[in-house]
Amino acid sequence: MTAGNVPDFGGRARVYDTLRPPDAAWWDAFAALVDLGDLRGRRVLDVGCGTGRLATALADEARARVWGIDASSEMVAVARETVPAGVGVRRGDAERLPFRDGWFDRVVMSLVIHLLDRPSALAEARRVVSNDGRVAISTFHPAHFESYWLNPYFPSI
């Protein structure tokens, strides 16, 4: 994610997971993402990894080999403290991924696509995924943005 209209998640990094604890709906969405994205056992890049919750679940539950990347240095610091051994985490922008062409089997973007410069981020995802790879995106329904209860407080979202 790049600067500009992107919210600064750094100040919330240490408490972010307590604000959005994983519940049954989170695990249902995780299972759907793993199945539809064919992520099990794959080399996966988690773009916008935040605190590393999804990267951890992918490694532990889907036996994926995972790298996470996030624009927030504070989120990356939290992720490095929480992800299991073998999961890599880097600071970086979705629009300029610091990985080789075709390095990953899959790229995942969960609840982040609305914060990105989509053409650039999707082009980068395509660049780093193998020729027979997939880009799996999980996001809010468009109506969510129209009726989100925090809209009056964050009109740029």
Side-chain angles (χ1 to χ4, degrees):
M1 293 178 285
T2 58
N5 292 331
V6 175
D8 178 12
F9 290 99
R12 292 180 287 269
R14 293 270 167 215
V15 297
Y16 188 80
D17 286 343
T18 63
L19 299 172
R20 299 180 86 171
D23 56 10
W26 189 92
W27 285 106
D28 287 347
F30 171 78
L33 188 62
V34 169
D35 289 343
L36 295 170
D38 186 25
L39 305 178
R40 196 167 305 284
R42 305 288 188 167
R43 181 187 297 262
V44 179
L45 174 61
D46 178 6
V47 174
C49 70
T51 62
R53 178 187 295 158
L54 178 60
T56 296
L58 287 169
D60 289 347
E61 303 298 325
R63 301 294 179 234
R65 293 159 304 193
V66 186
W67 269 94
I69 189 162
D70 201 279
S72 167
S73 297
E74 296 88 349
M75 287 287 203
V76 167
V78 171
R80 286 181 176 152
E81 294 169 6
T82 59
V83 298
V87 173
V89 181
R90 293 181 75 170
R91 213 285 315 129
D93 296 324
E95 298 85 357
R96 288 179 302 284
L97 295 172
F99 299 101
R100 293 190 323 228
D101 294 0
W103 182 249
F104 296 96
D105 301 318
R106 305 288 187 262
V107 173
V108 172
M109 296 179 182
S110 180
L111 302 179
V112 70
I113 194 76
H114 58 283
L115 300 173
L116 306 175
D117 174 316
R118 286 184 291 282
S120 297
L122 292 171
E124 277 294 278
R126 175 62 191 106
R127 181 185 65 76
V128 301
V129 77
S130 62
N131 286 336
D132 60 345
R134 291 183 186 176
V135 176
I137 299 170
S138 173
T139 192
F140 298 107
H141 188 279
H144 172 81
F145 294 104
E146 297 166 10
S147 62
Y148 189 50
W149 69 275
L150 285 174
N151 280 349
Y153 304 104
F154 302 100
S156 66
I157 198 166

mmCIF file of all heavy atoms in Angstrom, residues 17-39:
data_model
loop_
_atom_site.group_PDB
_atom_site.id
_atom_site.type_symbol
_atom_site.label_atom_id
_atom_site.label_comp_id
_atom_site.label_asym_id
_atom_site.label_seq_id
_atom_site.Cartn_x
_atom_site.Cartn_y
_atom_site.Cartn_z
ATOM 1 N N ASP A 17 -5.437 -6.841 16.283
ATOM 2 C CA ASP A 17 -6.085 -8.150 16.374
ATOM 3 C C ASP A 17 -7.152 -8.199 17.461
ATOM 4 O O ASP A 17 -8.099 -8.985 17.365
ATOM 5 C CB ASP A 17 -5.057 -9.257 16.581
ATOM 6 C CG ASP A 17 -4.282 -9.557 15.311
ATOM 7 O OD1 ASP A 17 -4.735 -9.164 14.218
ATOM 8 O OD2 ASP A 17 -3.201 -10.174 15.413
ATOM 9 N N THR A 18 -7.039 -7.366 18.476
ATOM 10 C CA THR A 18 -8.089 -7.331 19.497
ATOM 11 C C THR A 18 -9.311 -6.573 18.992
ATOM 12 O O THR A 18 -10.417 -6.800 19.471
ATOM 13 C CB THR A 18 -7.598 -6.682 20.807
ATOM 14 O OG1 THR A 18 -7.254 -5.314 20.563
ATOM 15 C CG2 THR A 18 -6.409 -7.428 21.379
ATOM 16 N N LEU A 19 -9.108 -5.676 18.020
ATOM 17 C CA LEU A 19 -10.219 -4.932 17.437
ATOM 18 C C LEU A 19 -11.019 -5.792 16.468
ATOM 19 O O LEU A 19 -12.205 -5.546 16.255
ATOM 20 C CB LEU A 19 -9.706 -3.686 16.700
ATOM 21 C CG LEU A 19 -8.955 -2.663 17.555
ATOM 22 C CD1 LEU A 19 -8.334 -1.589 16.667
ATOM 23 C CD2 LEU A 19 -9.886 -2.056 18.589
ATOM 24 N N ARG A 20 -10.376 -6.760 15.856
ATOM 25 C CA ARG A 20 -11.012 -7.646 14.882
ATOM 26 C C ARG A 20 -10.635 -9.090 15.172
ATOM 27 O O ARG A 20 -9.903 -9.711 14.412
ATOM 28 C CB ARG A 20 -10.566 -7.262 13.472
ATOM 29 C CG ARG A 20 -10.940 -5.851 13.093
ATOM 30 C CD ARG A 20 -10.477 -5.543 11.720
ATOM 31 N NE ARG A 20 -11.519 -6.001 10.805
ATOM 32 C CZ ARG A 20 -11.520 -5.741 9.525
ATOM 33 N NH1 ARG A 20 -10.547 -5.065 8.988
ATOM 34 N NH2 ARG A 20 -12.485 -6.171 8.755
ATOM 35 N N PRO A 21 -11.121 -9.636 16.276
ATOM 36 C CA PRO A 21 -10.747 -11.014 16.622
ATOM 37 C C PRO A 21 -11.334 -12.015 15.630
ATOM 38 O O PRO A 21 -12.426 -11.810 15.104
ATOM 39 C CB PRO A 21 -11.333 -11.209 18.022
ATOM 40 C CG PRO A 21 -12.407 -10.194 18.142
ATOM 41 C CD PRO A 21 -12.032 -9.045 17.253
ATOM 42 N N PRO A 22 -10.599 -13.096 15.370
ATOM 43 C CA PRO A 22 -11.121 -14.116 14.451
ATOM 44 C C PRO A 22 -12.301 -14.848 15.092
ATOM 45 O O PRO A 22 -12.200 -15.336 16.207
ATOM 46 C CB PRO A 22 -9.936 -15.049 14.218
ATOM 47 C CG PRO A 22 -9.064 -14.862 15.411
ATOM 48 C CD PRO A 22 -9.279 -13.447 15.893
ATOM 49 N N ASP A 23 -13.404 -14.885 14.371
ATOM 50 C CA ASP A 23 -14.588 -15.591 14.841
ATOM 51 C C ASP A 23 -14.944 -16.657 13.812
ATOM 52 O O ASP A 23 -14.174 -16.913 12.876
ATOM 53 C CB ASP A 23 -15.742 -14.615 15.081
ATOM 54 C CG ASP A 23 -16.084 -13.792 13.845
ATOM 55 O OD1 ASP A 23 -15.575 -14.089 12.736
ATOM 56 O OD2 ASP A 23 -16.874 -12.844 13.979
ATOM 57 N N ALA A 24 -16.084 -17.283 13.968
ATOM 58 C CA ALA A 24 -16.493 -18.347 13.042
ATOM 59 C C ALA A 24 -16.569 -17.828 11.613
ATOM 60 O O ALA A 24 -16.185 -18.532 10.667
ATOM 61 C CB ALA A 24 -17.834 -18.935 13.473
ATOM 62 N N ALA A 25 -17.040 -16.595 11.431
ATOM 63 C CA ALA A 25 -17.126 -16.017 10.082
ATOM 64 C C ALA A 25 -15.734 -15.850 9.477
ATOM 65 O O ALA A 25 -15.543 -16.081 8.278
ATOM 66 C CB ALA A 25 -17.864 -14.677 10.120
ATOM 67 N N TRP A 26 -14.758 -15.452 10.298
ATOM 68 C CA TRP A 26 -13.386 -15.306 9.798
ATOM 69 C C TRP A 26 -12.862 -16.661 9.329
ATOM 70 O O TRP A 26 -12.281 -16.769 8.255
ATOM 71 C CB TRP A 26 -12.460 -14.723 10.876
ATOM 72 C CG TRP A 26 -11.117 -14.362 10.329
ATOM 73 C CD1 TRP A 26 -10.733 -13.150 9.824
ATOM 74 C CD2 TRP A 26 -9.958 -15.216 10.205
ATOM 75 N NE1 TRP A 26 -9.419 -13.203 9.396
ATOM 76 C CE2 TRP A 26 -8.925 -14.463 9.621
ATOM 77 C CE3 TRP A 26 -9.703 -16.550 10.530
ATOM 78 C CZ2 TRP A 26 -7.657 -14.985 9.351
ATOM 79 C CZ3 TRP A 26 -8.443 -17.074 10.255
ATOM 80 C CH2 TRP A 26 -7.431 -16.300 9.679
ATOM 81 N N TRP A 27 -13.086 -17.693 10.122
ATOM 82 C CA TRP A 27 -12.605 -19.023 9.750
ATOM 83 C C TRP A 27 -13.348 -19.573 8.532
ATOM 84 O O TRP A 27 -12.746 -20.260 7.699
ATOM 85 C CB TRP A 27 -12.683 -19.987 10.940
ATOM 86 C CG TRP A 27 -11.580 -19.683 11.922
ATOM 87 C CD1 TRP A 27 -11.710 -19.071 13.132
ATOM 88 C CD2 TRP A 27 -10.180 -19.937 11.737
ATOM 89 N NE1 TRP A 27 -10.466 -18.940 13.718
ATOM 90 C CE2 TRP A 27 -9.511 -19.460 12.889
ATOM 91 C CE3 TRP A 27 -9.427 -20.512 10.718
ATOM 92 C CZ2 TRP A 27 -8.130 -19.560 13.051
ATOM 93 C CZ3 TRP A 27 -8.053 -20.615 10.874
ATOM 94 C CH2 TRP A 27 -7.415 -20.135 12.020
ATOM 95 N N ASP A 28 -14.630 -19.246 8.378
ATOM 96 C CA ASP A 28 -15.369 -19.644 7.175
ATOM 97 C C ASP A 28 -14.775 -18.963 5.945
ATOM 98 O O ASP A 28 -14.600 -19.603 4.903
ATOM 99 C CB ASP A 28 -16.855 -19.283 7.297
ATOM 100 C CG ASP A 28 -17.613 -20.171 8.270
ATOM 101 O OD1 ASP A 28 -17.074 -21.226 8.686
ATOM 102 O OD2 ASP A 28 -18.754 -19.788 8.630
ATOM 103 N N ALA A 29 -14.494 -17.673 6.065
ATOM 104 C CA ALA A 29 -13.883 -16.937 4.948
ATOM 105 C C ALA A 29 -12.500 -17.493 4.641
ATOM 106 O O ALA A 29 -12.109 -17.629 3.471
ATOM 107 C CB ALA A 29 -13.810 -15.448 5.270
ATOM 108 N N PHE A 30 -11.742 -17.841 5.682
ATOM 109 C CA PHE A 30 -10.422 -18.444 5.493
ATOM 110 C C PHE A 30 -10.531 -19.755 4.717
ATOM 111 O O PHE A 30 -9.799 -19.978 3.748
ATOM 112 C CB PHE A 30 -9.750 -18.683 6.850
ATOM 113 C CG PHE A 30 -8.491 -19.494 6.755
ATOM 114 C CD1 PHE A 30 -7.312 -18.913 6.329
ATOM 115 C CD2 PHE A 30 -8.488 -20.844 7.071
ATOM 116 C CE1 PHE A 30 -6.142 -19.665 6.218
ATOM 117 C CE2 PHE A 30 -7.334 -21.606 6.974
ATOM 118 C CZ PHE A 30 -6.161 -21.012 6.542
ATOM 119 N N ALA A 31 -11.451 -20.610 5.121
ATOM 120 C CA ALA A 31 -11.625 -21.904 4.444
ATOM 121 C C ALA A 31 -12.010 -21.707 2.982
ATOM 122 O O ALA A 31 -11.485 -22.409 2.099
ATOM 123 C CB ALA A 31 -12.684 -22.736 5.168
ATOM 124 N N ALA A 32 -12.893 -20.756 2.716
ATOM 125 C CA ALA A 32 -13.284 -20.483 1.329
ATOM 126 C C ALA A 32 -12.105 -19.967 0.524
ATOM 127 O O ALA A 32 -11.904 -20.370 -0.630
ATOM 128 C CB ALA A 32 -14.438 -19.479 1.298
ATOM 129 N N LEU A 33 -11.309 -19.082 1.121
ATOM 130 C CA LEU A 33 -10.138 -18.533 0.427
ATOM 131 C C LEU A 33 -9.136 -19.627 0.097
ATOM 132 O O LEU A 33 -8.615 -19.697 -1.023
ATOM 133 C CB LEU A 33 -9.499 -17.446 1.297
ATOM 134 C CG LEU A 33 -8.377 -16.627 0.687
ATOM 135 C CD1 LEU A 33 -8.870 -15.846 -0.526
ATOM 136 C CD2 LEU A 33 -7.795 -15.675 1.726
ATOM 137 N N VAL A 34 -8.893 -20.512 1.054
ATOM 138 C CA VAL A 34 -7.962 -21.633 0.830
ATOM 139 C C VAL A 34 -8.479 -22.536 -0.282
ATOM 140 O O VAL A 34 -7.722 -22.916 -1.193
ATOM 141 C CB VAL A 34 -7.728 -22.423 2.133
ATOM 142 C CG1 VAL A 34 -6.986 -23.732 1.852
ATOM 143 C CG2 VAL A 34 -6.953 -21.578 3.134
ATOM 144 N N ASP A 35 -9.753 -22.875 -0.236
ATOM 145 C CA ASP A 35 -10.318 -23.780 -1.240
ATOM 146 C C ASP A 35 -10.390 -23.130 -2.618
ATOM 147 O O ASP A 35 -9.914 -23.693 -3.606
ATOM 148 C CB ASP A 35 -11.708 -24.252 -0.821
ATOM 149 C CG ASP A 35 -11.656 -25.221 0.350
ATOM 150 O OD1 ASP A 35 -10.566 -25.777 0.636
ATOM 151 O OD2 ASP A 35 -12.701 -25.413 0.989
ATOM 152 N N LEU A 36 -10.993 -21.954 -2.701
ATOM 153 C CA LEU A 36 -11.170 -21.303 -3.996
ATOM 154 C C LEU A 36 -9.848 -20.835 -4.600
ATOM 155 O O LEU A 36 -9.682 -20.837 -5.815
ATOM 156 C CB LEU A 36 -12.136 -20.123 -3.872
ATOM 157 C CG LEU A 36 -13.568 -20.513 -3.506
ATOM 158 C CD1 LEU A 36 -14.390 -19.276 -3.165
ATOM 159 C CD2 LEU A 36 -14.218 -21.314 -4.613
ATOM 160 N N GLY A 37 -8.911 -20.444 -3.740
ATOM 161 C CA GLY A 37 -7.602 -20.014 -4.226
ATOM 162 C C GLY A 37 -6.624 -21.151 -4.429
ATOM 163 O O GLY A 37 -5.531 -20.947 -4.932
ATOM 164 N N ASP A 38 -7.020 -22.357 -4.031
ATOM 165 C CA ASP A 38 -6.149 -23.529 -4.119
ATOM 166 C C ASP A 38 -4.800 -23.217 -3.456
ATOM 167 O O ASP A 38 -3.748 -23.312 -4.069
ATOM 168 C CB ASP A 38 -5.966 -23.963 -5.580
ATOM 169 C CG ASP A 38 -5.194 -25.261 -5.718
ATOM 170 O OD1 ASP A 38 -5.203 -26.071 -4.771
ATOM 171 O OD2 ASP A 38 -4.559 -25.446 -6.778
ATOM 172 N N LEU A 39 -4.865 -22.825 -2.183
ATOM 173 C CA LEU A 39 -3.690 -22.343 -1.463
ATOM 174 C C LEU A 39 -2.956 -23.429 -0.683
ATOM 175 O O LEU A 39 -1.792 -23.250 -0.315
ATOM 176 C CB LEU A 39 -4.097 -21.230 -0.490
ATOM 177 C CG LEU A 39 -4.853 -20.054 -1.089
ATOM 178 C CD1 LEU A 39 -5.227 -19.053 -0.002
ATOM 179 C CD2 LEU A 39 -4.062 -19.388 -2.193
#
